[in-house]
Amino acid sequence: MSLFADFRAKDANLPPLDASTGLNIREAEESDLTTLAMIAAEREGTTQDVQYRLFERQLSQQRGTGQVMILVADVLGKVVGFGKCDCFTPPENAPANVAPKGWYLMGVIVIPTFRRRRVAYQLTQARLQWLARHTSKAYYFANALNQVSIELHQKFGFVEVTRNFFFPNITFAGGVGILFEVDLKTMERPNALLEPTPAAH
């Protein structure tokens, strides 16, 4: 299985999804944990148990400290993808080139049958809108080989900051990592920004 999604134009036979066709971007809930674990395990090559515990911990942080946000893409009641953002604080004794403190987009995954239908775009759009209510700047990093991800984020105004940076527990197999940032106060927001639906508590 390829490490990254295929870099190709959107399939013309697959119409884009939006609210009018049943797409709902919302905060993750406890009832989503099993599905999220399945999606992440297949993409990351780990077990569902490992991913379930990870999402369970992150969902607890989301509700507790507010330092994590997980949004899911729900199509007519079926979760087909998710996107995360985390608030990062450099650890003590980190090297001088440690990534800056702040909010980071930490990956978006959409199941294969729903790719190239603007689901990842709308998950990114919704996360940035959420972040714009909490901070003035957001960060994101990617493997230089991951052209699909880089192209997606460039649409939202992300610009390259450096290729020389350290982020704990992150490596870039087969390539070089690139750190990007976007100014949420000045970026051009696309029309009809999608409002995430608050999760029921």
Side-chain angles (χ1 to χ4, degrees):
M1 182 176 67
S2 173
L3 181 63
F4 308 121
D6 292 337
F7 184 58
R8 56 185 173 180
K10 182 176 63 177
D11 191 327
N13 295 321
L14 297 175
L17 289 168
D18 57 26
S20 68
T21 52
L23 176 65
N24 180 32
I25 305 296
R26 59 173 176 80
E27 293 183 19
E29 303 172 1
E30 190 170 351
S31 59
D32 300 319
L33 287 173
T34 298
T35 302
L36 291 174
M38 291 174 58
I39 294 172
E42 181 177 356
R43 174 65 176 81
E44 302 295 339
T46 57
T47 68
Q48 292 184 28
D49 286 344
V50 167
Q51 291 296 329
Y52 188 98
R53 290 193 295 270
L54 175 61
F55 277 106
E56 191 173 40
R57 183 170 66 251
Q58 291 174 334
L59 190 58
S60 177
Q61 290 177 290
Q62 177 172 307
R63 293 174 172 175
T65 65
Q67 301 299 291
V68 176
M69 174 53 66
I70 307 171
L71 297 181
V72 301
D74 180 315
V75 178
L76 301 176
K78 176 183 179 180
V79 173
V80 301
F82 66 87
K84 300 179 184 179
C85 39
D86 293 351
C87 189
F88 170 68
T89 299
E92 294 183 9
N93 303 317
N97 67 337
V98 66
K101 179 180 180 179
W103 278 96
Y104 284 72
L105 297 186
M106 295 297 288
V108 59
I109 301 176
V110 177
I111 64 175
T113 52
F114 282 84
R115 290 176 186 163
R116 291 175 296 282
R117 301 186 69 178
R118 291 177 65 85
V119 176
Y121 179 94
Q122 292 184 73
L123 278 166
T124 302
Q125 183 180 26
R127 285 180 295 157
L128 288 174
Q129 184 179 21
W130 184 88
L131 286 173
R133 297 195 293 268
H134 297 81
T135 184
S136 61
K137 184 179 292 187
Y139 298 93
Y140 145 81
F141 51 77
N143 192 311
L145 300 177
N146 192 348
Q147 288 299 309
V148 172
S149 179
I150 292 171
E151 182 183 77
L152 169 65
H153 290 80
Q154 285 176 339
K155 293 176 181 178
F156 291 95
F158 277 91
V159 296
E160 181 174 335
V161 176
T162 183
R163 300 190 179 205
N164 176 24
F165 70 98
F166 165 80
F167 198 97
N169 304 315
I170 296 295
T171 57
F172 299 96
V176 174
I178 307 176
L179 177 68
F180 298 87
E181 70 176 16
V182 63
D183 186 337
L184 296 173
K185 289 184 177 180
T186 62
M187 78 173 200
E188 294 184 8
R189 288 174 170 75
N191 293 330
L193 274 172
L194 199 60
E195 282 286 357
T197 301
H201 295 295

